[in-house]
């Protein structure tokens, strides 16, 4: 089989690094686009010179996987980020002749387009309107999201939003994205979730205990429509979803073994 080159925007992030690993394991080439690797996609969105540089970087790539993210709960900031990055990537892909854009979204984001999810819903709309050379995967929260939430506040008492979730291993999401990127565009793919419904504050509590932290967690039911969607099962995958096999406990065992 001929080696493919796939660009991974956000390839240094939680799921991005696993996507790059999965591509390389399968014998493909991965090009990482992130600020720490010298590519600022927001700069490419506002500056013509940077946009040309991005298009040149993408020349010869068979596909681009977008797993960038921004740390914000604000709907306007999230929408600005995902619209700018998606537009910059799609424009550069067209200029470079890349024929497959693979985007990662979140199960339930389009049904509850508020706060951070407003940006994900905007990203989904842009990708779906971009022609017929895209694949879109919606995944549930990663097991690693418990550690991301734990890291968001420094204190000994950590507020964690009340979320009902069916979390999935980022490694399984990365493997699925690598599989999508090396195939033909499929449009909207089957949702990907984990094996078991869990409660996010409990997962953060268990993550902290397993990693030796004595910090305490309290569950915060977020107000408004977004808060309700986080609690009422909107984020759970439907009956025809594909389910990963690694449970949160399996994942936690790997984390607590890491020194
Ligand atoms: N976390 C979850 O539970 C979860 C669940 C389902 C779907 N998702 C989706 O998966 C995607 C990735 O999430 P994640 O948690 O893996 O993200 P993450 O760990 O926060 O990583 C974000 C990545 O984006 C890059 N990035 C940020 N701003 C950039 C810019 N201006 N230009 C270029 N690269 C930039 C970062 O690298 P630099 O900092 O070096 O630029 C990093 O590689 C997001 O779209 C998210 O909505 C996440």
């Amino acid at each position: 089989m001929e080696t493919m080159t796939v660009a991974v925007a956000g390839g240094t992030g939680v799921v991005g690094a696993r996507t790059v690993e999965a591509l390389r394991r399968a014998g493909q080439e991965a090009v990482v686009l992130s600020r720490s690797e010298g590519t600022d996609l927001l700069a490419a969105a506002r500056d013509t010179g940077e946009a040309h540089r991005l298009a040149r970087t993408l020349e010869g790539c068979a596909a681009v996987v977008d797993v960038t993210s921004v740390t914000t709960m604000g709907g306007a900031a999230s929408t600005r980020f995902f619209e700018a990055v998606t537009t910059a990537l799609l424009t550069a892909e067209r200029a470079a002749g890349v024929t497959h854009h693979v985007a990662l979204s979140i199960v339930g984001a389009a049904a509850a387009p508020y706060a951070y999810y407003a940006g994900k819903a905007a990203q989904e709309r842009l990708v779906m309107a971009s022609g017929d050379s895209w694949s879109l995967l919606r995944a549930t929260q990663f097991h690693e999201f418990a550690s991301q939430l734990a890291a968001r506040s420094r204190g000994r008492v950590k507020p964690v939003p009340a979320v009902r979730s069916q979390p999935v291993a980022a490694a399984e999401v990365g493997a699925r994205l690598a599989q999508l990127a090396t195939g033909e565009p499929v449009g909207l793919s089957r949702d990907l979730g984990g094996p078991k419904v869990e409660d996010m504050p409990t997962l953060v509590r268990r993550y902290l205990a397993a990693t030796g932290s004595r910090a305490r967690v309290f569950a915060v039911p977020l107000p408004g429509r977004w808060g309700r969607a986080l609690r009422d099962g909107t984020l759970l995958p439907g009956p025809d979803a594909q389910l990963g096999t690694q449970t949160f406990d399996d994942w936690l065992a790997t984390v607590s073994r890491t020194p």
Side-chain angles (χ1 to χ4, degrees):
M1 196 181 69
E2 209 181 307
T3 303
M4 292 172 81
T5 304
V6 176
V8 183
T12 55
V14 170
V15 72
R18 273 85 176 174
T19 308
V20 168
E21 272 166 31
L23 284 163
R24 290 183 178 154
R25 240 191 345 260
Q28 315 295 2
E29 299 273 345
V31 175
V32 173
L33 309 175
S34 73
R35 290 167 301 183
S36 52
E37 297 285 321
T39 304
D40 183 345
L41 293 166
L42 291 180
R46 44 168 201 265
D47 181 275
T48 320
E50 288 299 316
H52 283 137
R53 199 164 73 85
L54 176 61
R56 278 200 304 278
T57 306
L58 296 186
E59 277 168 16
C61 290
V64 171
V65 179
D66 181 9
V67 278
T68 55
S69 191
V70 59
T71 305
T72 180
M73 293 273 264
S78 174
T79 302
R80 266 196 309 276
F81 177 85
F82 284 108
E83 284 187 346
V85 166
T86 304
T87 304
L89 284 173
L90 290 171
T91 306
E93 287 164 30
R94 267 193 296 275
V98 179
T99 52
H100 193 180
H101 181 90
V102 181
L104 177 64
S105 191
I106 302 174
V107 172
Y114 317 115
Y116 176 81
Y117 289 2
K120 299 305 295 179
Q123 176 187 17
E124 288 195 11
R125 283 193 298 273
L126 284 173
V127 171
M128 288 177 176
S130 68
D132 52 11
S133 57
W134 53 272
S135 300
L136 175 67
L137 176 67
R138 293 171 173 153
T140 56
Q141 291 62 47
F142 310 148
H143 296 324
E144 288 81 352
F145 190 48
S147 67
Q148 290 174 305
L149 285 174
R152 261 183 212 176
S153 64
R154 288 170 164 266
R156 295 284 299 270
V157 180
K158 295 184 185 284
V160 173
V163 180
R164 266 184 83 212
S165 170
Q166 196 166 319
V168 60
E172 291 180 316
V173 180
R176 177 70 184 131
L177 289 168
Q179 188 188 38
L180 284 168
T182 50
E184 293 298 316
V186 297
L188 185 60
S189 169
R190 278 168 75 198
D191 289 355
L192 176 58
K196 201 169 155 212
V197 178
E198 310 266 13
D199 158 69
M200 195 53 71
T202 306
L203 299 187
V204 177
R205 216 170 270 133
R206 280 163 54 200
Y207 168 79
L208 288 168
T211 53
S213 165
R214 304 233 296 257
R216 299 192 35 205
V217 168
F218 69 96
V220 184
L222 293 184
R225 289 179 292 188
W226 195 47
R228 209 165 39 243
L230 298 180
R231 294 188 295 277
D232 71 4
T234 301
L235 308 193
L236 300 180
D240 57 351
Q242 184 184 348
L243 299 184
T245 56
Q246 192 187 51
T247 64
F248 185 79
D249 283 336
D250 296 337
W251 172 78
L252 204 50
T254 67
V255 171
S256 36
R257 270 203 304 272
T258 312

